[in-house]
Amino acid sequence: MVHQRIPTKISSATSASSKISTMNVRLPRLVWMALIVGMLAACSTPVPMAPSTAPTARPGPAGPVAVPGTLSQSKSRWVPVAWNELPGFEGDALHEAWNAWLRSCERPAPAFAPLCGDVRRLTIASPEEQREWMMQRLQPYRIESLDGGADGLLTGYFEPYLDAARQPGNGFVVPLYAPPADLAARRPWYTRQQIETLPQAQAALAGRAIAWVRDPVQAMVLHIQGSGRLRVQEADGSQRLVRLAFAGTNDQPYRSVGKWLLDQGLVRDATWPGISAWVAQNPQRVNEMLWSNPRYVFFREEPLDALDAAFGPKGAQGVPLTPGRSIAVDRQSIPYGTPVWLASSGPTAQLSRLVLAQDTGSAILGAVRADYFTGWGQEAGDMAGRLKQNLRLWALWPR
C-alpha cells in the first residue's frame, strides 16, 4: 500500500463492531490457529544489509568515535547494542506482535526465512519463552541517521470505515472509482478538479464507480490513506462489508489540504479536527480546498471474510497489516519484514513495543521515521489524527 499518509481524523466515521483495539490487539484463538496452519514461505526481494566498509563513527566529545560491527543501509546505519537498551522490552505482550510476525513469514526476506519455523512454533509459547528465543537468535541495532542522529518522528495511519451505496442517490453523491482504462496510456492523468469537472474525464470514468459515499472530505481521507472499509448498501437492500484497496493514482503531485489552509490564512490548526471545523463553517469552499490537492487515488474492491476482517489491508511487503503492530518505514532505512523495537512518548501515546516493518509511504522518508498502523474506524482515526511525536527505533536482525 504505497501512497501519501498524513495524520487524519474522521469525526463522523462509523466504528467497526469487530474493531481490534490499537493498544491491546488480541485475536481469537481460532484465528491464531488458522494463521499457523498452511503458511508457506515465499521469498521477496530484500534490501541487503552489509557491514560498513568505511570507518563508521558517532559524534563524541572529542570528535567521531568508531563503532565496530555497525551495519549500513542507504539512509541509515545500525549500531549494535545490548538488549537492556530497549525500553520496556521485559514488559511487552509479545504474543500480540507474533500475529504480525506470522504474516511476515508469508513473504519472508531470505535473512528471516530460516527463523519462520520457530516463529510459528512459538505462537503458543509463553512470553518468557518468546523473549528468550529472541535474545538468542536476534541482535538489536539502534537505527541512526548517517550523521549519528537517533531521534525521529512517529505518525499514524488507519483504514477509514464508511457507509456506501452501489448507486448514487439518497445522499450518496461522491463516487469512488476503479482505474480508468486509459490510465497507463496517459501520464499524468487528469487532476482532481478536472476529474470532477471535465466532460472528457467523466466520460473516461463512466461505469468505473465501485460505490458512492456521502461526504467528499471523507472520500479525500480515503484517498490519502489509500484503502478503507465500506459497509455497502446493495441494490437489493442488503448490506455487505468490503475493502477498497489501493489500485493506482493519476500520477499528479500530492498537496496537503492542511498546508493550503495555512497558506491561505484560513486556519491556525491544520490537524483534521481543525480542518473539519473549518469545513463545517465554510461549506461553500470545500471544493476549493479539495481541488488544492491534484492527486487522485483509484481503488479495487476486495472481499472481507472473517479472517481478513481481523487484519488491515496488505502493506508494501505484500502481507496484511496488524493494528498496533505494523509500521510503514522508508525501505532504504529498514527492509520489509524486519522486526523492530519501537519507543515513542508523547501526549497521544506511550509506546514501547515490538512491531514489524511491513509497509511504506511516499511521505515516510528518513532513517528514524515510521507510520504506525492504528486499525480502522473512528477510534483508530482519532488516534492516527493526533499521533505526531518523538521516535526511536531498534532493528532486530538475525545473528
Side-chain angles (χ1 to χ4, degrees):
M1 187 167 57
V2 182
H3 55 90
Q4 296 75 24
R5 301 197 184 92
I6 62 175
T8 306
K9 174 177 179 178
I10 300 179
S11 59
S12 59
T14 305
S15 298
S17 60
S18 61
K19 180 171 56 188
I20 299 175
S21 168
T22 62
M23 305 304 295
N24 194 20
V25 182
R26 293 184 174 86
L27 296 183
R29 187 175 183 84
L30 181 61
V31 174
W32 278 25
M33 299 309 295
L35 287 168
I36 298 170
V37 178
M39 285 190 174
L40 302 177
C43 290
S44 60
T45 303
V47 175
M49 292 297 298
S52 297
T53 55
T56 305
R58 288 196 291 125
V65 178
V67 182
T70 298
L71 302 182
S72 64
Q73 282 275 32
S74 297
K75 289 187 177 180
S76 67
R77 64 183 190 182
W78 296 10
V79 179
V81 299
W83 281 97
N84 61 13
E85 180 176 307
L86 278 57
F89 179 66
E90 293 298 325
D92 188 30
L94 294 176
H95 68 277
E96 297 174 4
W98 237 254
N99 298 306
W101 206 335
L102 284 169
R103 284 300 195 177
S104 277
C105 280
E106 295 176 25
R107 298 178 61 87
F112 289 97
L115 302 182
C116 283
D118 282 350
V119 171
R120 296 186 183 97
R121 176 180 58 82
L122 289 166
T123 299
I124 55 176
S126 68
E128 292 74 22
E129 291 170 322
Q130 292 171 337
R131 195 169 286 109
E132 181 180 359
W133 175 84
M134 290 176 62
M135 295 176 71
Q136 290 175 351
R137 299 300 302 272
L138 303 172
Q139 168 64 47
Y141 292 83
R142 183 175 61 250
I143 300 176
E144 299 180 351
S145 61
L146 297 177
D147 63 2
D151 293 307
L153 175 66
L154 181 68
T155 53
Y157 69 112
F158 77 113
E159 267 194 303
Y161 191 170
L162 308 178
D163 288 325
R166 292 296 186 186
Q167 300 296 327
N170 296 322
F172 294 98
V173 296
V174 183
L176 301 170
Y177 289 114
D182 66 342
L183 183 62
R186 179 189 173 100
R187 290 290 186 178
W189 215 67
Y190 299 103
T191 66
R192 177 178 295 273
Q193 182 175 359
Q194 290 170 337
I195 287 170
E196 297 180 1
T197 59
L198 289 183
Q200 56 267 44
Q202 290 290 300
L205 290 169
R208 309 296 291 179
I210 299 171
W212 303 71
V213 296
R214 293 189 174 100
D215 186 345
V217 177
Q218 289 187 354
M220 166 72 85
V221 172
L222 185 64
H223 285 215
I224 292 170
Q225 299 299 310
S227 71
R229 299 179 179 213
L230 300 183
R231 183 166 49 213
V232 181
Q233 180 179 321
E234 302 287 0
D236 62 3
S238 63
Q239 287 190 340
R240 189 158 66 100
L241 184 64
V242 303
R243 170 174 281 135
L244 290 194
F246 179 89
T249 77
N250 59 352
D251 212 30
Q252 296 282 351
Y254 172 79
R255 299 285 185 263
S256 166
V257 296
K259 185 177 185 302
W260 180 83
L261 289 168
L262 287 172
D263 290 345
Q264 298 289 316
L266 300 174
V267 299
R268 293 183 179 179
D269 176 11
T271 66
W272 275 102
I275 294 171
S276 298
W278 182 88
V279 166
Q281 296 170 5
N282 300 274
Q284 75 282 0
R285 300 193 67 182
V286 168
N287 280 341
E288 185 182 358
M289 180 192 74
L290 297 179
W291 291 344
S292 71
N293 176 23
R295 175 64 64 93
Y296 198 92
V297 172
F298 301 103
F299 301 96
R300 66 176 180 274
E301 181 177 330
E302 296 179 349
L304 271 178
D305 61 25
L307 183 57
D308 292 332
F311 291 89
K314 288 184 178 180
Q317 188 188 356
V319 302
L321 304 176
T322 302
R325 296 292 177 167
S326 296
I327 57 172
V329 297
D330 187 332
R331 197 184 182 191
Q332 295 185 63
S333 176
I334 305 173
Y336 296 148
T338 303
V340 175
W341 192 260
L342 178 152
S344 179
S345 60
T348 299
Q350 305 294 316
L351 299 171
S352 296
R353 55 177 43 203
L354 178 64
V355 295
L356 275 291
Q358 296 175 324
D359 203 2
T360 193
S362 59
I364 311 305
L365 301 173
V368 189
R369 178 74 173 94
D371 216 12
Y372 181 78
F373 180 63
T374 60
W376 47 89
Q378 182 174 342
E379 183 180 343
D382 288 347
M383 181 179 181
R386 296 191 306 267
L387 192 60
K388 189 175 183 180
Q389 57 192 45
N390 72 290
L391 174 67
R392 288 201 166 198
L393 298 173
W394 292 260
L396 309 181
W397 198 256
R399 292 185 184 274

